[in-house]
Amino acid sequence: MQTRSLAASVALAAETERENSVIARGLKRQDPDVLDHLIELYQHRLLRYLLFLTGKREVAEDLFQETWMRVLLRGAQYNGKARFDTWLFTIARNLVIDLSRKRTMASLDEMHEAGDDERPFQIAIDEPSPLEQFQTRENSAEVAEVLLTLEPNYREVLVLRFHEELSLEEIAGVTKAPLSTVKSRLYRGLAALKPEMQRLRSSRPQAETLR
């Protein structure tokens, strides 16, 4: 069984590598069909990521368009060695930071985080996370509401880990943060999520009683 699983993982990795190479060659040629295909594949994930980062649909939509323009203009920089979505999210994140600086707002990296703990932290993988448990019971709109109450750095890591299913190493690449910091933000984000989940649950019966 383990041999089959390993073989499947190797085959999947090889297929992903081939797809990344095709994307890299297409972007270098500025092939419009490749770009259209990428937009079709990633448009919903990218817009969702930008909505969680900015909290404003109009801003997210503007940055969504700008991100794809950057992909078109800088496609030659993508070499296919990393997953395309991590490269895409990195571009989008940099645009958010640039916009924040232009508006004299603190960048994501400069926002107060109540002191990131650099101690290594391992997330248990043999049981669902609090976010995954919550998602099994609540609809996506309620999940989004809770996530938007968290500090941006925590919210971003949670979205990349549980919505976009990036590995901790890939998140570190997107955010340009040390792996230990990513682990700390994930831990603290999950810890901050719990009371907000409880608050939402406790407020629901009261709302239903008033109807």
Side-chain angles (χ1 to χ4, degrees), residues 39 42-43 45-71 88-103 105 108:
I39 292 174
Y42 294 103
Q43 59 181 331
R45 292 176 59 190
L46 176 60
L47 184 58
R48 178 175 60 191
Y49 176 59
L50 287 168
L51 280 169
F52 276 118
L53 283 191
T54 64
K56 298 180 180 179
R57 172 165 286 275
E58 183 178 351
V59 174
E61 289 176 346
D62 288 343
L63 292 173
F64 175 87
Q65 299 293 337
E66 181 63 23
T67 299
W68 288 114
M69 286 299 299
R70 292 287 180 91
V71 170
L88 179 68
F89 292 140
T90 300
I91 292 175
R93 186 180 194 272
N94 288 339
L95 286 172
V96 172
I97 292 173
D98 289 345
L99 180 64
S100 297
R101 287 170 176 164
K102 288 178 182 177
R103 295 184 175 184
M105 294 167 55
L108 286 173

Side-chain angles (χ1 to χ4, degrees), residues 28-46:
K28 286 179 181 178
R29 298 194 306 269
Q30 294 191 331
D31 188 331
D33 291 334
V34 170
L35 185 64
D36 287 344
H37 179 63
L38 292 173
I39 292 174
E40 183 178 351
L41 281 178
Y42 294 103
Q43 59 181 331
H44 298 299
R45 292 176 59 190
L46 176 60

Side-chain angles (χ1 to χ4, degrees), residues 7 30 33 35 92 97 105 111 115 119 122 131 152 194 210:
Q30 294 191 331
D33 291 334
L35 185 64
I97 292 173
M105 294 167 55
M111 287 184 178
R119 291 174 296 175
Q122 298 295 336
L131 181 60
K194 186 175 181 179
L210 294 174

Side-chain angles (χ1 to χ4, degrees), residues 80-135:
K81 293 182 179 179
R83 282 172 43 174
F84 174 77
D85 53 1
T86 62
W87 186 70
L88 179 68
F89 292 140
T90 300
I91 292 175
R93 186 180 194 272
N94 288 339
L95 286 172
V96 172
I97 292 173
D98 289 345
L99 180 64
S100 297
R101 287 170 176 164
K102 288 178 182 177
R103 295 184 175 184
T104 66
M105 294 167 55
S107 72
L108 286 173
D109 290 329
E110 294 166 343
M111 287 184 178
H112 178 64
E113 298 186 67
D116 268 344
D117 191 344
E118 294 297 328
R119 291 174 296 175
F121 179 83
Q122 298 295 336
I123 301 298
I125 59 175
D126 57 349
E127 62 182 18
S129 72
L131 181 60
E132 290 170 320
Q133 294 173 16
F134 188 49
Q135 286 178 310

Side-chain angles (χ1 to χ4, degrees), residues 52 131 143-150 155 158-159 163 193:
F52 276 118
L131 181 60
V143 172
E145 178 185 345
V146 172
L147 284 173
L148 287 171
T149 65
L150 304 183
R155 180 170 70 234
L158 287 171
V159 169
H163 277 304
L193 192 68

